[in-house]
Amino acid sequence: MKKNIAIIGGGPAGLMAAETIMNAGDFTVDVFDAMPTMGRKFLMAGKGGLNITHTDSFTTFLTRYGDSQAHITPFITDFSPTALRAWVHQLGIDTFVGSSGRIFPQEMKAAPLLRQWLHRMRESGIRFHPRHHWHSESLATAELIFTTPQGTYTHHADAVVLALGGGSWAKLGATGAWVTPFLQHKISVHELMPSNCGFNSPWSAYFQDHFAGQAVKNCSLSLYPRDHDLSKFHSGEFMLTRTGVEGSLIYALSPALRQQLSIHGVATIYLDLLPHYALAHVQNRVSGTRGKLSLANFLRKRLGLEGVKAALLRECVPLNTFSKADDLAHAIKSLPIQLLSTRPLDEAISSAGGVCFSGLTENLMITHFPGVFCAGEMLNWDAPTGGYLLTACFATGRAAGLGVVSWLT
Ligand SMILES: Cc1cc2nc3c(=O)[nH]c(=O)nc-3n(C[C@H](O)[C@H](O)[C@H](O)COP(=O)(O)OP(=O)(O)OC[C@H]3O[C@@H](n4cnc5c(N)ncnc54)[C@H](O)[C@@H]3O)c2cc1C
């Protein structure tokens, strides 16, 4: 009789594990998900353009995983961005390289890819069980226990892949509710924290009312002021919200900002409002008398600085800065913006933290729960947006699937 594998969590990691196991033959595979359909977060990821992976050189790609690089490297070495792109093509979905090397499906959305993929999996015999909420408290029991609309369902499996996701956007299914039972079962889990997230800034009521929702374009950001040895400005754009800042330029800095917040209780980013002008040029343009010009007109005429950028300058530096040309030039080229806290985990694109690799075998099996494997965002790694999140979810899903196959054969 064929051995049965249960996959709990029908996101990209769980689905990739399911298909990998099914392709190995000799297994029956059941995928359970608490939600009414599979891949809810994956579909949401496609709303703004599904950034599936990236054209970075392989070495650069791996560095995107920061502190978790060493843990993630073996999985991405086995299932590289190039292999992932080829896998997307095998589903009949074309891809293209967008700005800054990001790779997207031709139609940008996740739905066509997911539809094709689920169809292929159903054809191969994989069974899907939506609306099956697994009781993570039952981790140590021989039977898997689910709540379904029809009542409690118990399922026996020879091995299990848990791909329960992180803790953001709980309404899409990944609630992080598994963390407490895991800790009770002595599985090492690093606290789930918001990553690729917005941050709260102490905006004045006037600033909130007039500038929330506006994009700050053609700027660059650094974790350190311009004259600091570690200063490195990243170009792009970000959004001002009622509560602070968000957007890809901010997301990329979120691990470092989280660390600053945990050490100092406050974090600061430095914004170059006019990255195309050298400091000396700005100094030159703001020196000399203003004559009858208002400050706003002076900055607009001398430097083209106006609108939201001029408002940020007024919001973030004390008034007396404007009367000293050198201080003003430095503020324009390295404007400190204070961040008080992260936005809540539920609003984040992804979560950092999760099941620690120290408690897993190299095949992603929980060391003291033989036959139980973990994959995807529920593992303790972190990466910026840019396709690195999905690449690691697919690669660890595949690795957990291969782990099951080698454990049972
Ligand atoms: C708005 C947004 C945009 C994004 N855009 C991108 C992008 O462009 N590129 C990129 O790389 N990444 C992106 N991401 C991140 C990416 O979507 C996630 O990293 C990825 O979906 C995680 O995959 P996963 O399979 O680990 O978990 P999930 O996709 O979260 O799937 C976990 C599944 O487990 C199920 N589950 C959880 N607990 C239980 C339980 N007890 N019983 C049964 N089922 C359970 C959930 O219902 C869920 O379906 C985006 C995320 C968001 C929110």
Side-chain angles (χ1 to χ4, degrees), residues 8-15 32-35 37-42 44-46 48-53 102 104 132-136 146 163-166 168-169 172-178 348-350 375-378 381 384-391 393:
I8 309 181
L15 294 177
F32 299 91
D33 200 291
M35 299 301 284
T37 51
M38 305 290 137
R40 287 278 171 117
K41 190 179 275 185
F42 187 59
M44 175 56 77
L50 185 73
N51 183 191
I52 204 132
T53 191
R102 294 168 179 230
F104 299 89
H132 278 60
H133 183 276
W134 175 60
H135 293 209
S136 40
F146 297 90
L164 305 170
S168 74
W169 289 64
L172 302 177
T175 61
W178 51 269
I349 297 285
S350 62
E377 201 180 307
M378 71 182 293
W381 55 270
T385 54
Y388 311 104
L389 298 165
L390 282 172
T391 304
C393 290

Side-chain angles (χ1 to χ4, degrees), residues 207-362:
F207 191 78
Q208 287 179 341
D209 289 345
H210 291 81
F211 297 100
Q214 294 205 28
V216 184
K217 296 186 177 173
N218 302 322
C219 62
S220 59
L221 269 184
S222 169
L223 290 168
Y224 299 95
R226 189 158 286 284
D227 50 6
H228 193 283
D229 287 350
L230 295 174
S231 169
K232 185 172 177 236
F233 279 79
H234 305 264
S235 304
E237 65 178 70
F238 66 95
M239 294 291 295
L240 298 169
T241 64
R242 280 199 81 75
T243 53
V245 290
E246 66 173 35
S248 53
L249 200 51
I250 304 288
Y251 298 159
L253 303 178
S254 51
L257 292 173
R258 246 191 352 254
Q259 196 182 13
Q260 276 194 32
L261 283 169
S262 75
I263 298 170
H264 307 296
V266 65
T268 308
I269 46 175
Y270 296 86
L271 176 64
D272 186 343
L273 291 165
L274 298 173
H276 47 291
Y277 288 149
L279 175 64
H281 176 78
V282 177
Q283 278 167 324
N284 182 267
R285 297 299 291 161
V286 296
S287 56
T289 54
R290 250 193 266 152
K292 286 187 178 156
L293 286 177
S294 67
L295 178 64
N297 275 337
F298 177 73
L299 290 173
R300 184 171 53 77
K301 289 201 163 167
R302 286 297 182 98
L303 287 164
L305 195 60
E306 57 187 337
V308 67
K309 285 187 172 178
L312 257 175
L313 186 62
R314 281 196 301 275
E315 180 74 5
C316 296
V317 292
L319 261 186
N320 60 5
T321 306
F322 293 93
S323 53
K324 297 177 206 145
D326 201 43
D327 290 358
L328 178 57
H330 276 94
I332 291 169
K333 291 296 289 173
S334 191
L335 181 70
I337 302 180
Q338 247 193 22
L339 308 177
L340 303 180
S341 52
T342 59
R343 293 298 300 155
L345 173 60
D346 195 44
E347 291 176 19
I349 297 285
S350 62
S351 42
V355 179
C356 298
F357 286 92
S358 56
L360 300 170
T361 66
E362 60 182 15

